[in-house]
Structure formats: C-alpha cells, structure tokens
Amino acid sequence: MLAEQRDDIDNPLIWPILSVLEASNQSWKVHYLMAELQKNTIMDHLDDDPQLDLFKRNFLIMNALYQLQEMLLPQQWLQVESMDIRLMWRGAGTGFVQHEVNTDDPLRGYYMDWNNYDAQTEDVRELLSSFWKRYQQHVGHCSETTVERRNALAALGLAENASDSEIRRQWRKMALKWHPDRPEGDAATFRTMCEAWQSLRL
C-alpha cells in the first residue's frame, strides 16, 4: 500500500522521463512515452489485472510529468497534454515565458493525489466509461441515443452472436485500421467504430 501523503513518495519515473524528453526534441504522446520506457525496461509489471496494470503505469507517468513541470520552472516549460508532451527552453521562441503551472487543473489534481494510484478495477472501469463519453463528444457524436446492438455489430463486421472477446478483438482491429493518424485512416469511419463499440459496452 502506498503512503497516504504525496510528499512521502518518490516517483521512480521522474528522472528516466526527463532523460527521454531531453534526448529528443519531438512531441510525445503518453502511450509512446510508456512504450519508450518499457523498451528500456524501466517500467515493471505493476498489477496482475491488465486494466489496473495499464492504469498504474499511466498514473506514474502523468504524476511524474506534473511533478517535473513544477520542478523545471523557471528555466524550462514542460507541456503536459496526453497527445502533446514537450520540453521547451526559455527564450526558444515558444512563448515559454507566458506559461505557468495551473494548480486548478482537475487532471493535474487527480494525478498528483497518490490516493488515486490505489484505484480498484471498478474505479478504472468508471474512468474509462467517462473517457469514452467525453471522447464521443470530442469526435463529434453528440446524440444521446445509442446504436442498437445489431447495427453496432454490423458496423464492426460481426455476427449477432459474437462473444465479448470477439467484439473486443474486432474493435481493436478496426480502431487501429481506421484511426485518423494511420496512413489509410478515415475519421468518419473511425467515429462510426467508436460509436458502435461504446453502444456495445453500455
């Protein structure tokens, strides 16, 4: 069990993450940063439950990033956004001098609270469900109605008797294929896949 006070805990990823960021001028996404740390065998297995393992890895990375953001001021600014993590130097023409830590940011508050590291499986499911609802709004799905199961399965190219594991596998396959960041990706098709997956999860 982790200590209750944040100050009692030394996040082991702070310095490895700083090394990765300083060695590259590129913008990072959280999952790319996680892959880089795993490639260098810095991140250990954290939980037997795969969802909790991923959650804890993500928590440690975000916690380290927010701690670094504060530690690096005033010489450097660390932009912490899940899809755009960048280390900037003062005077590099990036508008760095205007940046300061937003202590009211609820996301920052969540990841700086070590009590949240000990989330249970149900907590993680609720967080993921909340994420998917927000993500649907982000990609343009504002309707309160959901696709019927039959139509959702058809959209994913599955039969009506598809099992949960088949649905999950097919969703991952389709999301990877149609994601807008992929060379052959298509935002509209990806949005349809997201809507179908979410309706099947509700």
Side-chain angles (χ1 to χ4, degrees):
M1 180 94 171
L2 290 169
E4 291 189 6
Q5 292 187 344
R6 191 186 72 203
D7 295 340
D8 294 341
I9 301 170
D10 183 21
N11 189 327
L13 297 184
I14 289 175
W15 307 117
I17 286 177
L18 182 59
S19 297
V20 170
L21 295 174
E22 287 186 331
S24 169
N25 293 325
Q26 74 183 64
S27 170
W28 291 84
K29 295 177 174 62
V30 171
H31 57 285
Y32 290 163
L33 194 52
M34 186 181 298
E36 185 70 16
L37 295 170
Q38 287 176 311
K39 184 173 71 177
N40 296 323
T41 65
I42 291 168
M43 293 200 78
D44 292 326
H45 176 77
L46 298 173
D47 201 287
D48 291 334
D49 182 313
Q51 275 191 323
L52 289 178
D53 184 65
L54 180 61
F55 171 80
K56 289 179 178 180
R57 289 168 187 262
N58 183 75
F59 185 95
L60 287 177
I61 288 174
M62 293 301 292
N63 174 276
L65 287 169
Y66 282 119
Q67 286 197 55
L68 273 170
Q69 188 181 58
E70 208 167 322
M71 292 164 62
L72 293 172
L73 287 173
Q75 286 78 23
Q76 291 173 288
W77 169 250
L78 177 57
Q79 178 168 290
V80 182
E81 296 176 8
S82 61
M83 304 301 278
D84 188 9
I85 298 163
R86 280 185 291 160
L87 189 60
M88 296 178 269
W89 288 89
R90 178 184 289 282
T94 60
F96 167 78
V97 291
Q98 299 174 6
H99 292 296
E100 54 184 51
V101 173
N102 179 8
T103 55
D104 295 325
D105 179 0
L107 196 62
R108 181 182 186 278
Y110 180 87
Y111 284 111
M112 291 295 277
D113 183 351
W114 280 103
N115 291 317
N116 292 322
Y117 178 87
D118 287 322
Q120 300 303 306
T121 305
E122 192 53 41
D123 299 329
V124 175
R125 283 200 188 104
E126 286 179 21
L127 283 169
L128 289 173
S129 177
S130 174
F131 164 78
W132 278 111
K133 287 173 184 169
R134 291 196 310 274
Y135 187 73
Q136 279 186 315
Q137 293 173 347
H138 176 70
V139 297
H141 177 67
C142 299
S143 173
E144 290 299 318
T145 60
T146 59
V147 183
E148 291 181 1
R149 179 178 174 83
R150 186 184 303 113
N151 293 339
L153 289 168
L156 290 170
L158 292 167
E160 289 185 42
N161 60 351
S163 67
D164 289 345
S165 60
E166 287 172 330
I167 292 170
R168 192 176 301 109
R169 273 198 306 274
Q170 183 70 354
W171 147 247
R172 288 175 179 164
K173 179 181 172 184
M174 292 293 101
L176 188 62
K177 178 180 179 180
W178 296 111
H179 194 283
D181 289 345
R182 304 283 292 183
E184 310 262 328
D186 180 80
T189 305
F190 180 69
R191 183 160 54 246
T192 300
M193 296 298 106
C194 289
E195 291 170 1
W197 167 242
Q198 180 61 20
S199 71
L200 291 166
R201 294 179 72 249
L202 292 174

